[in-house]
Amino acid sequence: MSAAPTPAWLDALRRDARARADATGLPTRRDEAWKYTDFALSGAAAYPLAARWQDAVPASLATRPVAGGVPLVLVNGTVVGDWGAPDGVTIGRLDSPDARSLVEAHLGAVIPAARKSLAALNGGLFTDGLVLRITAGTRLERPIEVLSLGASDAASGPLSFHPRLLVVVEEGGFATLVESHRGTGAYFSNSVVEVALAEGAGLDHYKIQDESLEGVHVATLGVSVAARAVYRGALLQAGSRLARHEVHASLCGRDAVFELDGAYLGVENQHLDNTTFVTHAAPGGQSRQLFKGVLDNQAQGVFQGTVLVERAAQKTNAHQLSKALLLSAGAGMSGKPELEIYADDVKCGHGCTVGDIDETALFYLRSRGIAEADARQLLIEAFLADVLEHVSLDPVRETFTAVVSERLRRARLGKEDR
Amino acid sequence: MTTMSGPNEGTGSRDGAGAPLLAIRDLHATVAGREILKGIDIVVPAGEVHVVMGPNGAGKSTLSYVLAGRDGYEPTQGEVVYQGQDLLAMKTEERARAGIFLAFQSPVEIPGVTGVNFLKTAVNAQRRARGESELDAMQFLKLARRKAKELDVGEEMLRRSVNSGFSGGEKKRYEALQMTLLEPRLMILDETDSGLDFDALKTVAQAVNGMRSPDRSILMITHHQRLLDLIAPDCIHVLIDGRIVSTGDRSLAHELEKSGYAQFAGQAA
Ligand SMILES: Nc1ncnc2c1ncn2[C@@H]1O[C@H](COP(=O)(O)OP(=O)(O)O)[C@@H](O)[C@H]1O
Ligand SMILES: [Mg+2]
């Protein structure tokens, strides 16, 4: 399983990214986009880089694929095991010779270099990564599953790693990607996923962030959507003591569609950040974002959504909505939606609400004999219902629901302890 | 015809026939720091239908909320004994499992919770509390469909979110559906008749009458004579400004219809 030395062409890309990362430095709260999330305070930047994983998948992290089938597995950022690829799909390591043209064309292309993010750091430090290519016209029925595992313990001490994934869907191709993140112990996972959709291509992308609660998870997702291509994302953030999911989407061809539904669930002292930048650069694009957060105990949530409609992007339809439910006085929510519109013939809307459990509804349910805890759970699930309804893949929706119930149980225990 | 004496003497017919199902004695309660109930006495023997009538703002809904255990409706004095138990010491859900059902004057809309999920959770919570086995999805659906049909509740209403976007009449029939599914011992009907057309009123009255039995009681809050024509009451209580000012038999309702609440104004002060 020992890796060949990195090829020179990849090293060049890596050096570039590293230089950019060094030039911008790590984000601090003085950076507008990081105002509400104190990455420095997390201490994650000091975690040493994990060594290339040489073993099999650790037993404690035995793979539980969400959608069935054989997942592609990364442990501490290293690709582990073998895989087969369905017809019309190429799956390879980032450093494989076959991947070169794709990597050179797309790696780092969507995520703006000028903005301070941790993506450049990933580009400088990733040990390994995967490229998925769906060839033109291939419409995959079965989902492709990628599992990123974090493994650290007392012996290893906290570790950092930088999982990297590039997904290219060529003209008219379609695929479903299920991406999950789990782990044990303290670690910093700095993930970058880039998605390039060619004309008329489609990707249904599900992400389940259920990392170790000692972990720090920062993910940067770049999506470029060409003409008539459709990206549909659904995200669950439930893990990590500090997590940020940062999205850069560019609707760069006519009539492109970008949809993102996010649910996040914070308990104890978790800090969960969702930050999105959606750019409409071509006419007729549609974007829709819906984020629903449930925060209990002392958990803090952040939603920052920026939608930019460029002058060329006439007939754009863009909506974003963020709603948070606070279940205890110690929980909090910050952030803001932002619209920047330079075209004149557009439909745009945004909204942002923070509320607590409807006491009247709670009484109504209890007056029918439903225990208070169960009634709360029903109301919380009802709050998340429209996000969950958009998760069209059944096993993924079931996983979302199961993770949500587990977290709420944990939140309740947290209250009883006090 | 009106007896102005102590509670329920007008229904003395069942003298000593077992303990009453519900006994409210000198109940005082505050809402938002203001005393709304100022000494309520009502005793409902098992099997009887008692009616509470009174002008708007008298405290009728407050009484129903205090009996159901709603936060913010705080009893401050007196007692409520239900099936020999101290009702006020029980949690809302415990009261429901012990057989108390409140049909709300204004049923609550709960977007995102489907009727089937809500009703099944409630029925099974109560079955569990009684030590009965839970109904599985198929058993429950069969039961719910049958009861819904009896109440003219469309099947699509079971799939919709609880009360969301229902008309006033639909909400009231949905309350009646919950009642027939949960088979309570004490039904508190808070103006279940308001907002219903006559056909719907008949349907709901039929459901209530269908449930009447020697061990079930009803506390019915209403303004309307027409419901009393459909569900024959045993006893009428007049509630004005937080107090029961008169208790009597059905003729009291007729009298009220003729001369209104003004005749009691003196006692309320
Ligand atoms: N949640 C509440 N907050 C403040 N005042 C209330 C509340 N509920 C009821 N009240 C007051 O209590 C009194 C009785 O109301 P209610 O019990 O609804 O009367 P009824 O049902 O007989 O019309 C009214 O003055 C009403 O304003
Ligand atoms: Mg009322």
Side-chain angles (χ1 to χ4, degrees):
Chain A
M1 269 270 133
S2 83
T6 322
W9 59 269
L10 191 58
D11 263 343
L13 286 177
R14 211 198 296 261
R15 267 195 310 276
D16 250 26
R18 186 63 207 248
R20 258 185 294 127
D22 289 345
T24 54
L26 294 172
T28 72
R29 293 193 61 181
R30 283 188 302 277
D31 298 302
E32 182 62 22
W34 288 84
K35 200 155 77 186
Y36 305 106
T37 295
D38 198 338
F39 175 71
L41 192 72
S42 77
Y47 291 179
L49 192 63
R52 182 170 262 277
W53 189 263
Q54 306 285 3
D55 306 320
V57 175
S60 59
L61 289 168
T63 48
R64 283 176 296 159
V66 172
V70 183
L72 301 161
V73 183
L74 290 89
V75 180
N76 292 355
T78 309
V79 180
V80 172
D82 293 315
W83 54 82
D87 285 348
V89 181
T90 348
I91 301 176
R93 284 199 155 86
L94 275 178
D95 58 6
S96 67
D98 297 350
R100 179 171 179 177
S101 60
L102 285 177
V103 170
E104 286 182 336
H106 297 287
L107 208 75
V110 183
I111 299 162
R115 260 200 237 270
K116 201 182 277 192
S117 77
L118 290 170
L121 188 69
N122 171 298
L125 295 177
F126 65 80
T127 27
D128 203 353
L130 284 167
V131 184
L132 311 180
R133 171 177 173 233
I134 289 70
T135 53
T138 298
R139 302 194 70 84
L140 282 185
E141 304 228 324
R142 300 194 53 177
I144 297 175
E145 190 157 347
V146 175
L147 188 56
S148 168
L149 300 172
S152 89
D153 54 23
S156 70
L159 297 170
S160 66
F161 53 88
H162 307 264
R164 187 86 184 202
L165 177 64
L166 172 63
V167 181
V168 177
V169 187
E170 296 178 350
E171 284 76 11
F174 172 82
T176 302
L177 173 67
V178 180
E179 175 197 344
S180 3
H181 298 257
R182 293 191 289 113
T184 51
Y187 55 82
F188 168 38
S189 171
N190 179 32
S191 143
V192 173
V193 175
E194 289 162 289
V195 174
L197 301 182
E199 286 194 14
L203 183 73
D204 283 1
H205 180 191
Y206 301 100
K207 172 174 165 178
I208 300 159
Q209 190 277 94
D210 190 19
E211 303 269 28
S212 155
L213 285 172
E214 297 167 68
V216 171
H217 173 98
V218 176
T220 314
L221 168 68
V223 184
S224 73
V225 194
R228 295 178 317 281
V230 179
Y231 173 92
R232 284 182 222 281
L235 161 74
L236 175 67
Q237 290 232 64
S240 306
R241 63 186 163 90
L242 180 141
R244 173 169 166 117
H245 184 73
E246 180 178 313
V247 180
H248 298 267
S250 170
L251 288 77
C252 44
R254 258 177 195 278
D255 303 327
V257 176
F258 174 86
E259 291 186 0
L260 180 56
D261 290 282
Y264 53 98
L265 219 98
V267 304
E268 299 171 355
N269 288 306
Q270 280 183 285
H271 178 104
L272 302 177
D273 174 333
N274 291 288
T275 295
T276 66
F277 301 92
V278 174
T279 302
H280 284 263
Q286 292 184 46
S287 70
R288 184 186 62 74
Q289 298 174 70
L290 174 64
F291 276 84
K292 293 259 182 115
V294 178
L295 300 161
D296 204 343
N297 310 134
Q298 315 298 311
Q300 302 298 310
V302 176
F303 176 77
Q304 307 179 95
T306 305
V307 176
L308 167 65
V309 182
E310 293 181 352
R311 191 185 301 272
Q314 299 295 357
K315 309 278 183 203
T316 283
N317 201 326
H319 286 274
Q320 69 176 358
L321 180 60
S322 154
K323 288 189 170 191
L325 186 62
L326 303 184
L327 299 181
S328 83
M333 177 72 197
S334 17
K336 56 185 189 315
E338 232 175 278
L339 288 176
E340 269 181 67
I341 303 174
Y342 300 100
D344 46 28
D345 183 14
V346 299
K347 276 197 199 122
C348 294
H350 64 78
C352 202
T353 67
V354 180
D356 42 30
I357 287 264
D358 178 351
E359 290 297 328
T360 313
L362 191 62
F363 170 63
Y364 189 74
L365 295 174
R366 293 177 65 196
S367 78
R368 293 337 184 206
I370 300 173
E372 183 175 354
D374 297 335
R376 278 183 189 279
Q377 172 113 4
L378 272 178
L379 293 174
I380 292 162
E381 284 170 3
F383 171 75
L384 295 173
D386 43 3
V387 167
L388 295 176
E389 274 161 23
H390 287 133
V391 180
S392 40
L393 200 63
D394 291 341
V396 175
R397 192 176 51 251
E398 283 153 21
T399 303
F400 272 39
T401 312
V403 172
V404 168
S405 328
E406 191 278 325
R407 276 305 128 88
L408 293 174
R409 237 189 329 271
R410 203 180 164 107
R412 284 210 297 273
L413 290 178
K415 282 179 184 164
E416 282 158 18
D417 284 352
R418 254 189 287 281
Chain B
M1 268 288 142
T2 312
T3 32
M4 296 298 190
S5 43
N8 289 15
E9 283 181 28
T11 56
S13 49
R14 293 172 194 225
D15 43 348
L21 185 70
L22 177 76
I24 306 171
R25 295 197 183 91
D26 190 32
L27 179 65
H28 292 243
T30 58
V31 182
R34 203 172 111 222
E35 183 166 69
I36 304 295
L37 302 184
K38 302 170 179 173
I40 303 278
D41 292 273
I42 295 176
V43 176
V44 186
E48 293 199 358
V49 177
H50 284 221
V51 174
V52 176
M53 302 183 91
N56 270 332
K60 304 183 298 296
S61 291
T62 299
L63 173 62
S64 73
Y65 289 145
V66 171
L67 294 177
R70 181 169 186 170
D71 284 345
Y73 290 74
E74 302 302 332
T76 50
Q77 191 181 316
E79 64 168 6
V80 179
V81 179
Y82 170 74
Q83 289 185 317
Q85 285 178 282
D86 175 6
L87 186 74
L88 299 179
M90 295 160 72
K91 288 191 209 164
T92 299
E93 54 266 42
E94 290 167 351
R95 299 181 196 196
R97 293 169 192 169
I100 290 187
F101 180 91
L102 167 61
F104 283 56
Q105 182 175 359
S106 316
V108 184
E109 302 200 4
I110 313 184
V113 177
T114 65
V116 173
N117 189 13
F118 160 60
L119 298 169
K120 180 164 166 269
T121 307
V123 166
N124 279 336
Q126 298 214 12
R127 289 181 68 93
R128 249 194 335 268
R130 288 195 297 263
E132 296 166 14
S133 66
E134 293 186 24
L135 300 182
D136 66 29
M138 283 315 295
Q139 290 168 318
F140 173 76
L141 263 181
K142 227 175 117 189
L143 176 71
R145 285 197 183 121
R146 183 164 53 86
K147 303 265 184 183
K149 202 162 166 207
E150 287 168 10
L151 281 158
D152 271 336
V153 170
E155 234 192 279
E156 96 291 343
M157 265 171 73
L158 296 177
R159 283 191 296 268
R160 279 160 63 185
S161 291
V162 175
N163 289 319
S164 291
F166 289 12
S167 71
E170 282 175 331
K171 285 180 180 168
K172 295 302 171 76
R173 276 184 281 135
Y174 200 66
E175 295 292 286
L177 170 64
Q178 294 169 48
M179 185 176 71
T180 59
L181 278 169
L182 294 170
E183 303 189 322
R185 292 288 303 277
L186 174 66
M187 306 177 238
I188 305 166
L189 310 180
D190 191 356
E191 301 205 21
T192 296
D193 50 343
S194 61
L196 288 182
D197 61 33
F198 191 68
D199 284 342
L201 188 69
K202 270 201 313 210
T203 310
V204 169
Q206 249 166 32
V208 172
N209 282 328
M211 291 182 67
R212 285 190 71 169
S213 80
D215 55 7
R216 259 193 199 124
S217 306
I218 300 173
L219 190 63
M220 186 158 77
I221 294 165
T222 183
H223 285 300
H224 300 292
Q225 188 60 44
R226 54 181 198 166
L227 189 60
L228 305 185
D229 295 336
L230 294 169
I231 304 171
D234 296 289
C235 179
I236 312 276
H237 307 269
V238 180
L239 174 61
I240 294 179
D241 191 23
R243 288 188 183 87
I244 301 293
V245 295
S246 181
T247 289
D249 63 17
R250 281 198 63 178
S251 58
L252 180 54
H254 289 289
E255 213 171 295
L256 278 172
E257 199 170 40
K258 264 191 271 143
S259 10
Y261 296 108
Q263 57 182 310
F264 301 108
Q267 281 118 41

